């Protein structure tokens, strides 16, 4: 398989955005072409869900662009028959939006839904524009409140995958308290609800310089046998499959021998 130093029968990138979220660049077909060049067998788009009453015009797909999402994916499926293309969503979890999310998700035939926490209340804590608030909020409180929300997200029954598990580390602000229990409870909630983890390489492009979740969290996830899905969180076509080779080596060293894919919300396992 070109780009990889060994034979892989399957390789997929399940966390891919596009120009449709308004902070990404490149058409769906350009991302698919990048995956094909790398010899991927499958690519899954997880565009940011349109949300009511959220004032971030460049933060997500607009309602009016939603039909385009389907159209561009269908066109790419015709243009690139050599690769399987999945349609997913990255849905922000807000406790108060559970009804909205469940209606939206039920209305369209998605292959999978990634549940992600990007907001603590009205604060989009992973947006570079608002990093100043980490110190006002208190870094330890950010982590505690984040994992509390993550457990609610894992238990709400709407999602297949939990996105970028330890996202609060993005800008390199590390907690001063021991988070072992928070992390353990959160992994157990994911495990008990039968969800998968997004192994997301975008952290390598960010100040933290680490994948989400960190290697130590992934070791514990493996002990619990939590399924994993690979994702680059690409926001431009050059980021498709970002550092997958080294991350696959790490996953194998940890003991993972399978990755996963989804079709119409059904999970399948693939040899890693
Ligand atoms: Zn994004
Ligand atoms: Fe995200
Ligand atoms: Fe994303
Ligand atoms: Zn993401």
């Amino acid at each position: 398989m070109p780009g990889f130093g060994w034979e892989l029968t399957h390789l997929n990138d399940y966390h891919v955005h596009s120009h449709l979220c308004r902070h990404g660049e490149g058409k769906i077909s350009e991302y698919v072409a990048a995956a094909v060049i790398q010899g991927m067998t499958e690519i899954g788009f997880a565009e940011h869900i349109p949300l009511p009453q959220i004032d971030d015009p460049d933060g997500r797909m607009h309602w009016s662009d939603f039909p385009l999402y389907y159209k561009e994916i269908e066109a790419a499926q015709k243009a690139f028959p050599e690769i399987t293309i999945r349609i997913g969503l990255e849905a922000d979890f807000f406790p108060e939006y559970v009804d909205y999310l469940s209606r939206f998700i039920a209305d369209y035939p998605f292959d999978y839904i990634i549940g992600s926490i990007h907001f603590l209340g009205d604060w989009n804590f992973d947006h570079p524009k608002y990093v100043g608030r980490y110190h006002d909020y208190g870094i330890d409180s950010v982590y505690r409140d984040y994992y509390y929300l993550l457990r609610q997200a894992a238990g709400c029954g709407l999602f297949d995958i939990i996105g970028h598990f330890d996202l609060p580390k993005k800008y390199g602000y590390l907690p001063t308290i021991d988070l072992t229990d928070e992390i353990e409870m959160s992994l157990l909630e994911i495990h008990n609800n039968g969800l998968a983890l997004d192994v997301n390489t975008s952290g390598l492009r960010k100040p933290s310089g680490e994948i989400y979740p960190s290697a130590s969290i992934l070791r514990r996830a493996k002990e619990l046998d939590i399924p994993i899905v690979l994702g680059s969180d690409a926001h431009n076509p050059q980021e498709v499959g970002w550092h997958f080779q080294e991350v696959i080596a790490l996953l194998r060293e940890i003991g993972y021998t399978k990755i996963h894919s989804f079709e119409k919300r059904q999970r399948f396992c693939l040899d890693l």
Side-chain angles (χ1 to χ4, degrees):
M1 188 170 279
F4 285 81
W6 54 69
E7 277 302 306
L8 283 167
T9 37
H10 315 279
L11 185 67
N12 55 15
D13 186 340
Y14 255 46
H15 195 143
V16 176
H17 297 274
S18 75
H19 70 108
L20 292 171
C21 68
R22 312 245 173 167
H23 57 277
E25 285 159 40
K27 290 191 158 87
I28 298 274
S29 60
E30 296 175 78
Y31 289 81
V32 176
V36 168
I37 286 167
Q38 293 181 46
M40 289 192 184
T41 46
E42 192 184 19
I43 182 171
F45 289 88
E47 201 49 284
H48 296 284
I49 190 173
L51 283 177
Q53 294 156 335
I54 289 280
D55 184 23
D56 59 349
D58 57 357
R60 58 197 55 264
M61 186 161 46
H62 289 207
W63 270 109
S64 51
D65 286 341
F66 188 61
L68 256 182
Y69 188 39
Y70 268 87
K71 246 194 176 154
E72 282 198 26
I73 286 182
E74 277 163 15
Q77 282 164 336
K78 288 203 185 92
F80 298 92
E82 63 271 54
I83 187 168
T84 302
I85 306 174
R86 302 289 185 204
I87 183 158
L89 267 187
E90 180 174 20
D92 299 77
F93 178 74
F94 293 86
E96 60 272 33
Y97 282 169
V98 165
D99 285 344
Y100 167 81
L101 294 174
S102 68
R103 267 180 277 122
F104 192 96
I105 291 166
D107 276 352
Y108 302 95
F110 294 110
D111 289 308
Y112 60 93
I113 312 290
I114 300 176
S116 292
I117 291 106
H118 303 110
F119 286 82
L120 296 173
D122 64 354
W123 175 34
N124 184 185
F125 68 90
D126 83 313
H127 195 295
K129 235 183 354 201
Y130 313 115
V131 278
R133 268 178 77 179
Y134 271 82
H135 288 282
D136 301 334
Y137 197 104
I139 289 160
D140 293 338
S141 305
V142 171
Y143 281 87
R144 262 194 305 249
D145 292 357
Y146 172 85
Y147 282 118
Y148 177 73
L149 273 177
L150 188 149
R151 290 192 289 278
Q152 285 184 261
C156 79
L158 293 176
F159 308 131
D160 304 300
I161 302 163
I162 291 293
H164 37 62
F165 180 89
D166 51 356
L167 183 63
K169 74 182 177 188
K170 177 171 179 177
Y171 297 104
Y173 299 127
L174 298 179
T176 65
I177 47 168
D178 180 10
L179 286 171
T180 308
D181 291 348
E182 291 285 343
I183 289 167
E184 178 69 10
M185 287 189 294
S186 302
L187 288 175
L188 285 173
E189 195 66 16
I190 288 171
H191 171 71
N192 294 339
N193 286 285
L195 302 189
L197 271 176
D198 164 45
V199 175
N200 185 313
T201 61
S202 71
L204 296 169
R205 307 190 291 269
K206 298 290 159 21
S208 84
E210 281 186 3
I211 59 166
Y212 311 106
S214 66
S216 63
I217 295 171
L218 277 171
R219 286 204 168 82
R220 181 61 187 139
K222 174 65 188 104
E223 287 172 2
L224 294 167
D225 253 319
I226 296 177
I228 52 170
V229 173
L230 267 180
S232 64
D233 222 328
H235 283 72
N236 72 58
Q238 298 97 279
E239 291 169 350
V240 171
W242 188 264
H243 289 229
F244 274 16
Q245 188 168 351
E246 69 191 66
V247 171
I248 289 169
L250 171 74
L251 291 170
R252 287 178 166 171
E253 183 236 296
I254 289 171
Y256 272 106
T257 57
K258 309 272 180 206
I259 52 171
H260 292 80
S261 67
F262 286 84
E263 181 173 6
K264 303 268 187 295
R265 316 290 310 273
Q266 281 260 90
R267 192 172 72 219
F268 298 90
C269 84
L270 308 170
D271 290 325
L272 183 64

